[in-house]
Amino acid sequence: MIQEAIARYLQKQQQTFLSPKAVLFDMDGVLYDSMRFHARAWYETATRHQLTSTPELFYLYEGRTGESTINELYQKTFQRDATDEEKKSIYEEKAVLFNQYNDEKAMQGAAEVLEAARASGLQTLVVTGSGQHSLINKLEHTYPGYFKREKMVTAFDVKLGKPHPEPYLMGLEKAGVKAHEAFVVENAPMGVQAGVAAGIFTIAVNTGPLDDRVLLDAGANLLYPSMTALAEDWENLMSAIKNS
Ligand code: CA
């Protein structure tokens, strides 16, 4: 199964081999078990402003910048763009609620994936659409020694955000590697699309309520039910790559 996934990746991206040197990790829903708090904060904020949504919608929008999420809600509800003032104040409101709810809990199995990646000699980087200082600053505490601030890609670095490939292309640049020399680890459909559009072998971990199909349709090269499952399969993955 892994061999087939690698073969399909190489054919689709017109690469001749996969030679991993870096792993680009998404943050929310991958390194932190924080998506449920984002979804709750978004849903409650949207409802206060009479914006049409459901809690699940925010798992589909995940990876977008806050501004583009708010704009989508205005388009959906009022068929117009949100003003800059609306974007700013609603994002702030959502961030306050998120910080109130968030317990900053690490994603189960993520530490094991990081350890396995390092043992395989791979660099580890974070590529997130998040602009939450609270979690970004927490990374070094939760995962000491794995993420250098100057190599992080966050909402403060990108203009376009996922599903555009820009964040992951920036991640490749910061890692100093090419697309066939990296993996992306993502939990969100738009994040998967961004990784695939950047030409990178993209591993989905389905840590939320969406159907697996949504992540596979977004183009995921491999899919695991959890970070723990990815950690357990890591050796298989690396040896499949060596033998491909
Ligand atoms: Ca995510």
Side-chain angles (χ1 to χ4, degrees):
M1 188 199 125
I2 297 177
Q3 293 284 6
E4 285 164 23
I6 295 168
R8 273 197 304 273
Y9 163 82
L10 295 176
Q11 192 187 16
K12 184 179 174 211
Q13 302 286 0
Q14 303 191 327
Q15 299 282 359
T16 46
F17 62 98
L18 200 52
S19 165
K21 295 187 169 72
V23 190
L24 310 181
F25 290 92
D26 171 54
M27 185 172 76
D28 290 287
V30 168
L31 297 173
Y32 287 106
D33 194 6
S34 46
M35 259 318 289
R36 72 185 99 169
F37 305 121
H38 278 293
R40 180 174 168 202
W42 273 122
Y43 180 66
E44 289 179 12
T45 307
T47 304
R48 276 187 203 168
H49 292 269
Q50 283 83 48
L51 294 161
T52 309
S53 76
T54 59
E56 199 187 55
L57 182 69
F58 298 102
Y59 287 91
L60 292 170
Y61 284 178
E62 189 188 345
R64 281 178 182 276
T65 62
E67 289 199 351
S68 105
T69 295
I70 294 161
N71 209 50
E72 280 290 315
L73 294 173
Y74 270 83
Q75 278 295 348
K76 213 168 123 71
T77 311
F78 303 120
Q79 293 77 51
R80 67 163 175 89
D81 284 340
T83 64
D84 287 346
E85 184 46 46
E86 285 162 342
K87 285 180 195 162
K88 193 170 170 285
S89 69
I90 291 177
Y91 188 70
E92 276 172 15
E93 225 178 291
K94 181 261 167 181
V96 167
L97 278 186
F98 172 74
N99 284 320
Q100 198 179 306
Y101 297 148
N102 185 25
D103 61 8
E104 302 188 339
K105 235 178 85 191
M107 179 62 73
Q108 210 175 358
E112 287 79 4
V113 173
L114 287 169
E115 211 180 302
R118 177 182 280 169
S120 302
L122 309 188
Q123 290 184 68
T124 51
L125 291 87
V126 165
V127 176
T128 176
S130 173
Q132 290 291 155
H133 289 286
S134 55
L135 278 191
I136 294 166
N137 295 337
K138 191 100 205 296
L139 275 168
E140 175 57 22
H141 177 80
T142 316
Y143 302 108
Y146 282 104
F147 301 110
K148 293 198 183 83
R149 185 64 191 91
E150 67 273 17
K151 289 200 172 187
M152 278 179 204
V153 179
T154 73
F156 308 107
D157 302 293
V158 299
K159 280 195 190 70
L160 299 162
K162 303 166 188 178
H164 194 278
E166 180 199 29
Y168 281 115
L169 292 173
M170 223 176 248
L172 291 176
E173 201 176 307
K174 289 201 176 189
V177 302
K178 297 195 168 67
H180 72 281
E181 295 173 328
F183 296 146
V184 160
V185 181
E186 261 290 352
N187 72 306
M190 285 189 184
V192 168
Q193 283 176 34
V196 171
I200 306 168
F201 189 86
T202 301
I203 301 168
V205 284
N206 194 358
T207 61
L210 299 177
D211 199 88
D212 283 351
R213 188 40 51 201
V214 180
L215 292 164
L216 293 170
D217 287 348
N221 297 105
L222 280 178
L223 182 136
Y224 292 95
S226 63
M227 287 294 273
T228 305
L230 171 58
E232 283 167 359
D233 205 37
W234 186 268
E235 286 308 317
N236 282 337
L237 176 59
M238 294 309 286
S239 68
I241 288 168
K242 239 174 253 161
N243 299 324
S244 66

